[in-house]
């Protein structure tokens, strides 16, 4: 668009076909210079003005080359919008999102997103398909790895921090990219934890829990949103007009771009809601602006815009004017997005090879990644203070994952180079002042079929041809000749992620057998678990002296973990998801609704729970509760104090104050958490809801008062039979205010808030 031309002028000159072209998004695959069939198709589309955006470009050179073709080779010279999956870092990979959320450190989350944005923007990328803000309460679902966990309050803060970090203060800045909240909505509520499966949710839970991080992300200014693959309450999200056009744009006031997921519009046919023309029309009218990969808009909208669409069998009647209007609206949103991210000022400003080379894996980025990896590690057990490792201790570092680059980045790190990742062995050798020797000990998995599936994007399993007996013997010999065993065990990176749901949430069998053998060696055992999801670690917690959940820490994961093991850094993580005691406990979250026959902790036959769970495991709470994590010092909390003590209808908020004290021997940090229960309400409420948290760092013996403001609005909740009739209400009366260092061990006080 020439300087001075407005979007109105441009649109006035565009044909309908060109407008539809702006709604078409393809993956680039390789650069134009390769001459591959894909690149020939893209060239042809560009020449016809039938392509608006590309993703998956892989290099700044390829972005520039495509952009040159787009600007010079089409009638209006409209620049392409380049997008990419920048989920937990671009070239410098940070810990998985579930790990980042477990830091409960939103300044850190924001800082990682800033770095990701700077690296991506330097390569010409203007939009990233992040943050993923799907609430995930079912650890069978593989994409829990990409999610901020189970809690809407924490996830909403994560969404805001990610949007701030990615977009910065000015979307035109050379280190900013447009965020894309995904996957709208309730993708994480897939039935049975099966990826892509549908969700059925009461309206209040759908909006109050699953849509809450989207509301927060939109309020923080997110420029785009991606639709989810699944159907919600019987309507596939790519055609869910009530939720996209109604709630997201209407109630929530979202004015940005809605992008389809990969062939998400095309897949509406498999959902069974009509033929290609029908689904294209339904998605457009629902408010999906850009069609990713399916080219259904390209194939169908010209005709529907000319003739309308009547399909009595699926109850649709759309007239041509409605379609033309919707195409105009969506095309305008695409062009506005291009303008917002500065592409009309200078389509090449963001393709800066020198800057990209300077920023890619810059030392400061690696430092942040290392700090983040430590800040996300969750220390679950530390019997006898086995951690940090004693200086000089001779360490037997065991496990395939301990000396592994291929898995370290975790799932969805499409632009990360595993060769750049530090292994735990390297990290520990650099950090620990004592001998560190390594043995593989066991294969990651022993089922060749599973191994093949895990290797889908390249070899990550690397099966050792030796007999298991031989590997175990080698590991045992090393353990016997060392002071302490550090066993690194867990999942391969592709055990989680897209289309990687599991029916068992355990550490794969050969590694479990290895732990059992090592636990008998008479040496203290530190078990470090790498995983993309909460695993069942009940037996492991019994066998190991110390237990660290390291998730997948990214490029500097090996060094960050080594920092934690050696005490150079504290394990900063607090669980953003409850860890189940058994797979059968999922879905699981800390705020389960109260029931008529609650589980009380004492033996009663008729109560909500499971016959086969030990009595010390709350059936709705898991083995390790949400918010839990140890550091290297101890903290104590006083009971909370609330002022005013007797709030009335005139009070808009109360202040909750709690004293926290470092009772241990060293400086350290903890996360003070505020929860609320509404014990008497007009309908069944969650047993507890997170309403605030604050990270506090204290010297030994130091105490501090932490104050939270709890508004009356924070006690309100949604009620209603349909999405359209939801109302926010609050029920005056008794509230229980809890503070704690996790969702289970709480200090509580009851208050009465009169009308
Ligand atoms: C499918 C995934 O669901 C989505 O998260 C991703 O952004 C797109 N593919 C593009 O790669």
């Amino acid at each position: 668009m020439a300087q001075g031309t407005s979007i109105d002028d441009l649109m006035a000159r565009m044909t309908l076909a060109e407008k539809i072209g702006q709604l078409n998004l393809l993956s680039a695959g390789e650069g134009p210079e390769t001459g591959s069939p894909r690149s020939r198709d893209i060239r042809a589309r560009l020449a016809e003005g039938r392509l608006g955006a590309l993703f998956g470009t892989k290099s700044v050179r390829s972005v520039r080359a495509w952009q040159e073709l787009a600007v010079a080779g089409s009638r209006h010279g409209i620049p392409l919008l380049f997008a990419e999956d920048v989920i937990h870092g671009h070239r410098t990979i940070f810990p998985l999102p579930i790990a980042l959320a477990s830091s409960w450190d939103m300044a850190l989350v924001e800082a990682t997103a800033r770095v990701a944005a700077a690296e991506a923007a330097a390569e010409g990328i203007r939009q990233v398909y992040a943050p993923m803000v799907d609430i995930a309460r079912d650890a069978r679902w593989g994409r829990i790895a990409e999610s901020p966990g189970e809690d809407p309050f924490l996830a909403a803060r994560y969404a805001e921090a990610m949007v701030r970090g990615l977009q910065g203060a000015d979307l035109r800045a050379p280190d900013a990219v447009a965020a894309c909240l995904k996957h709208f909505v309730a993708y994480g509520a897939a039935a049975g934890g099966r990826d892509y499966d549908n969700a059925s949710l009461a309206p209040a839970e759908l909006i109050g829990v699953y849509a809450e991080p989207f509301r927060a992300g939109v309020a923080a200014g997110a420029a785009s949103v991606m639709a989810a693959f699944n159907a919600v309450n019987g309507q596939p999200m790519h055609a869910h007009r009530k939720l996209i056009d109604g709630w997201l744009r209407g109630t929530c006031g979202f004015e940005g771009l809605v992008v389809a997921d990969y062939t998400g519009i095309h897949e509406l046919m498999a959902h069974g809601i009509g033929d290609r023309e029908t689904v294209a029309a339904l998605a457009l009218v629902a408010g999906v602006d850009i069609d990713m990969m399916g080219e259904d808009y390209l194939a169908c909208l010209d005709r529907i815009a000319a003739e309308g669409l009547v399909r009595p069998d699926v109850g649709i009647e759309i007239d041509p004017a409605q379609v033309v209007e919707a195409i105009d609206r969506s095309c305008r949103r695409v062009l506005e997005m291009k303008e917002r991210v500065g592409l009309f000022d200078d389509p090449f400003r963001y393709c800066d090879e020198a800057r990209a080379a300077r920023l890619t894996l810059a030392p400061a980025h690696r430092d942040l990644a290392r700090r983040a990896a430590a800040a996300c590690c969750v220390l679950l057990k530390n019997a006898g203070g086995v951690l940090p490792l004693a200086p000089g201790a001779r360490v037997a570092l065991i496990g395939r994952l301990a000396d592994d680059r291929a898995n370290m980045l975790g799932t969805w790190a499409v632009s990360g180079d595993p060769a750049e990742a530090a292994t735990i062995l390297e990290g520990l050798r650099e950090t620990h002042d004592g001998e560190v020797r390594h043995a593989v000990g066991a294969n990651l998995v022993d089922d060749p079929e599973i191994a093949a599936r895990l290797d889908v994007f390249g070899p990550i399993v690397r099966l050792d041809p030796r007999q298991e007996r031989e590997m175990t013997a080698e590991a045992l010999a090393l353990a016997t000749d060392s002071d302490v065993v550090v066993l690194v065990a867990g999942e391969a990176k592709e055990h989680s992620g897209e289309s990687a749901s599991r029916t068992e949430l355990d550490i794969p069998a050969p590694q479990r057998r290895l732990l059992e053998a090592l636990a008998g060696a008479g040496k203290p055992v530190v078990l470090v678990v790498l995983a993309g999801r909460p695993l069942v670690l009940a037996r492991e917690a019994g066998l190991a002296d110390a237990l660290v959940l390291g998730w997948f820490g990214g490029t500097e994961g090996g060094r960050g973990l080594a920092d934690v093991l050696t005490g150079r850094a504290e394990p900063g993580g607090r669980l953003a998801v409850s860890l189940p005691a058994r797979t059968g406990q999922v879905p699981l979250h800390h705020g389960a609704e109260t029931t008529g026959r609650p589980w009380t902790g004492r033996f009663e036959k008729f109560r909500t729970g499971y016959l086969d769970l030990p009595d010390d495991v709350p059936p709705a709470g898991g083995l390790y509760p949400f918010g839990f994590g140890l550091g290297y010092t101890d903290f104590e909390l006083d009971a909370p104090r609330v002022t005013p003590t007797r709030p009335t209808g005139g009070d808009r908020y109360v202040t909750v104050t709690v004293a926290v004290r470092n009772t241990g021997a060293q400086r350290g940090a903890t996360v003070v958490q505020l929860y609320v229960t509404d014990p008497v309400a007009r309908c069944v409420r969650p047993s507890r809801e997170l309403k605030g948290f604050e990270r506090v760092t204290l010297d030994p013996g130091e105490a501090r008062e932490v104050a939270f403001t709890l508004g009356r609005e924070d006690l309100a909740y949604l009620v209603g039979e349909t999405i359209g009739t939801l109302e926010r209400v609050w029920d005056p009366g008794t509230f229980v205010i809890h503070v704690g260092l996790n969702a289970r061990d709480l200090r509580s006080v009851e208050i009465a808030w009169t009308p």
Side-chain angles (χ1 to χ4, degrees):
M1 188 165 67
Q3 286 284 328
T5 317
S6 69
I7 288 175
D8 285 337
D9 294 339
L10 178 58
M11 284 190 55
R13 285 185 283 116
M14 290 170 77
T15 63
L16 189 76
E18 286 167 341
K19 290 177 185 168
I20 296 168
Q22 286 300 308
L23 315 186
N24 198 29
L25 162 67
L26 292 177
S27 108
E30 320 81 2
E33 67 282 2
T34 62
S36 68
R38 161 71 59 79
S39 76
R40 282 203 303 276
D41 289 350
I42 297 174
R43 270 174 194 275
R45 293 277 183 269
L46 280 174
E48 298 157 359
R50 300 287 269 173
L51 186 65
L54 276 178
F55 75 104
T57 36
K58 301 287 174 273
S59 76
V60 62
R61 265 193 34 241
S62 145
V63 170
R64 178 176 283 280
W66 286 124
Q67 196 67 300
E68 274 164 5
L69 280 176
V71 172
S74 64
R75 217 163 69 92
H76 305 288
I78 301 173
L80 285 166
L81 175 70
F82 292 94
E84 187 54 282
D85 283 294
V86 178
I87 311 297
H88 47 116
H90 182 53
R91 301 288 178 188
T92 306
I93 302 299
F94 295 102
L96 289 174
I98 186 70
L100 282 171
S102 296
S103 74
W104 293 59
D105 182 343
M106 297 306 137
L108 176 78
V109 170
E110 185 175 338
T112 65
R114 284 273 62 212
V115 165
E119 287 186 354
E123 292 183 19
I125 292 161
R126 304 306 301 130
Q127 181 195 25
V128 298
Y129 298 141
M132 200 266 228
V133 294
D134 293 308
I135 297 288
R137 297 176 161 184
D138 192 331
R140 292 172 296 182
W141 190 52
R143 298 198 81 172
I144 197 169
E146 287 173 76
S147 103
E150 70 185 38
D151 185 88
F153 184 86
L154 183 63
R157 305 294 79 75
Y158 172 87
E160 292 160 353
M162 285 293 293
V163 170
R164 282 196 305 269
L166 292 169
Q167 298 196 167
D170 174 10
L171 261 182
R172 283 190 167 81
D175 60 353
V177 288
C180 183
L181 304 167
K182 69 185 190 185
H183 307 80
F184 186 71
V185 60
Y187 183 31
R194 293 177 294 269
D195 204 5
Y196 317 122
D197 212 332
N198 301 327
S200 293
L201 290 160
E205 188 179 7
L206 176 63
I207 301 300
V209 174
Y210 287 86
E212 171 58 14
F214 290 89
R215 187 205 56 72
V218 167
S224 56
V225 170
M226 184 185 289
F229 283 129
N230 54 318
V232 174
N233 297 340
Q235 186 62 247
M237 277 313 304
H238 280 73
H240 212 308
R241 192 172 178 182
K242 275 202 180 119
L243 280 170
I244 297 178
D245 201 47
W247 185 81
L248 183 68
R249 294 200 194 278
T251 311
C252 212
F254 177 64
E255 289 178 348
L257 196 67
V258 175
V259 187
D261 202 345
Y262 201 106
T263 60
I265 297 175
H266 205 73
E267 290 167 27
L268 291 172
M269 288 189 275
H271 269 290
I273 59 161
D275 59 16
R276 198 170 185 198
E277 289 196 343
T278 309
V279 300
L282 283 173
L284 182 77
V285 171
V288 178
D289 300 310
I290 288 198
D291 178 359
M292 186 192 289
M293 293 304 289
E295 300 215 311
D296 304 288
Y297 281 179
L298 214 61
C300 305
L301 291 187
D302 301 270
R303 204 203 62 76
I304 308 172
E307 295 167 25
L309 189 86
V310 181
R311 291 274 193 280
D313 50 340
V314 283
I316 294 162
E317 191 173 337
I318 301 171
D319 66 59
Q322 204 184 344
V323 179
V324 171
E325 203 184 301
I327 293 170
D328 265 355
R329 223 175 12 237
S330 289
C331 175
R332 180 177 295 279
R333 288 190 193 121
V334 174
L335 297 175
E336 280 171 356
M337 168 70 112
K338 292 182 177 184
E339 187 174 51
R340 276 186 81 187
V341 298
L343 285 168
F344 286 130
D345 301 342
D346 177 357
F348 300 103
R349 185 195 294 159
Y350 306 93
C351 305
D352 186 338
E353 284 193 54
R355 195 173 137 79
R358 202 170 62 246
L359 288 178
T360 293
L361 291 156
H365 298 181
R366 279 188 177 271
D367 285 351
L368 180 67
R370 179 173 185 160
R371 197 151 57 76
C376 296
C377 281
V378 188
L379 178 62
L380 296 168
K381 176 181 177 184
N382 194 12
V386 56
L387 286 177
L389 298 170
R394 291 175 312 134
V395 178
L397 180 63
I398 296 172
R400 159 63 77 212
L401 288 169
D403 184 21
D404 182 286
R405 253 175 262 287
N407 286 288
M408 281 312 280
L409 303 185
T411 187
W412 273 112
V414 296
S415 307
D417 180 358
E420 292 288 345
T423 68
I424 298 173
L425 178 62
E426 285 166 349
L428 207 55
R429 285 202 170 135
E430 288 166 19
T431 318
H432 178 58
D433 68 350
E435 192 177 58
V436 181
R437 288 176 295 162
H438 175 252
V440 171
N443 277 318
L444 290 183
V445 292
D446 55 3
D447 178 337
E449 257 175 61
I450 302 275
R453 290 178 75 167
L454 295 171
D455 281 344
V456 58
F457 299 123
I460 55 169
V461 175
R462 295 187 296 139
L463 289 177
D464 193 310
R466 286 178 293 168
Q467 294 281 322
E468 184 166 315
R469 240 181 308 118
E470 199 185 325
M471 286 193 273
T472 313
E474 184 186 59
L476 272 174
L478 186 59
T480 318
D481 187 37
S482 302
D483 299 321
V484 57
V485 174
V486 177
L487 169 63
V488 185
E491 297 190 314
K493 77 178 172 80
E494 298 305 333
H495 262 120
S496 58
E498 189 171 345
S499 192
S501 295
R502 295 181 63 194
T503 55
E504 293 295 345
L505 299 174
D506 47 11
I507 294 179
Q511 301 179 77
R512 285 205 313 272
R513 291 194 288 268
L514 176 62
L515 171 64
E516 304 219 349
L518 290 169
K523 298 293 162 98
V525 175
V526 176
L527 174 62
V528 175
V529 176
L530 300 191
R533 55 157 59 77
L535 291 178
V536 169
L537 299 172
R539 185 155 169 74
E540 289 73 8
L543 290 172
D545 300 279
L547 181 54
V548 182
L549 179 52
W551 311 103
F552 286 106
T555 309
E556 288 291 325
R559 295 199 179 91
L561 249 166
D563 289 343
V564 164
L565 296 175
T566 55
R568 278 169 60 127
E570 263 203 311
R574 304 293 183 266
L575 295 171
V577 275
S578 314
L579 293 198
R582 303 263 172 90
T583 301
Q585 265 194 301
V586 301
L588 183 65
H589 68 101
H590 70 88
E593 284 179 359
T594 49
T595 72
R597 292 187 171 185
W599 178 88
T600 58
R602 64 205 152 81
F603 182 73
E604 280 170 14
K605 184 157 173 50
F606 300 104
R607 58 180 182 165
T608 310
Y610 301 96
L611 175 75
D612 57 356
L613 267 185
D615 243 27
D616 57 349
V617 178
L623 182 63
Y624 291 104
F626 173 79
F628 179 79
L630 305 169
Y632 286 149
T633 188
D634 297 313
F635 290 93
E636 255 178 35
L637 285 186
D638 284 351
R641 281 173 291 116
V642 182
T643 48
T645 43
R646 303 197 135 273
T648 63
D651 292 308
R652 287 203 349 268
Y653 63 88
V654 295
T655 303
V656 181
T657 320
V658 56
V660 50
R661 197 170 305 104
N662 181 346
T663 55
Q666 70 177 72
R667 184 175 166 78
T670 192
V671 179
V672 181
Q673 300 158 33
L674 172 73
Y675 296 89
V676 174
T677 303
D678 184 356
V680 183
R682 70 189 77 183
C683 60
V684 177
R685 306 288 344 273
S687 49
R688 131 187 21 86
E689 292 175 290
L690 180 69
K691 294 294 176 188
F693 58 89
E694 191 168 325
R695 178 169 281 277
V696 193
T697 305
L698 297 176
D699 286 322
E702 190 186 349
R704 176 152 343 137
E705 294 254 292
V706 177
F708 297 98
T709 300
L710 186 67
R712 214 169 56 184
E713 184 50 29
D714 298 322
L715 303 174
Y717 61 96
L718 295 169
V719 284
E721 296 295 311
T722 63
I723 298 163
T725 57
L726 284 175
E727 248 192 293
R728 257 188 108 69
V729 298
W730 86 295
D731 297 311
T734 305
F735 295 94
V736 188
I737 314 288
H738 321 268
V739 292
L741 303 180
N742 63 67
R744 187 176 299 160
D745 306 308
L746 299 167
R747 307 282 317 254
S748 311
V749 63
E750 209 174 273
I751 63 162
W753 200 325
T754 52

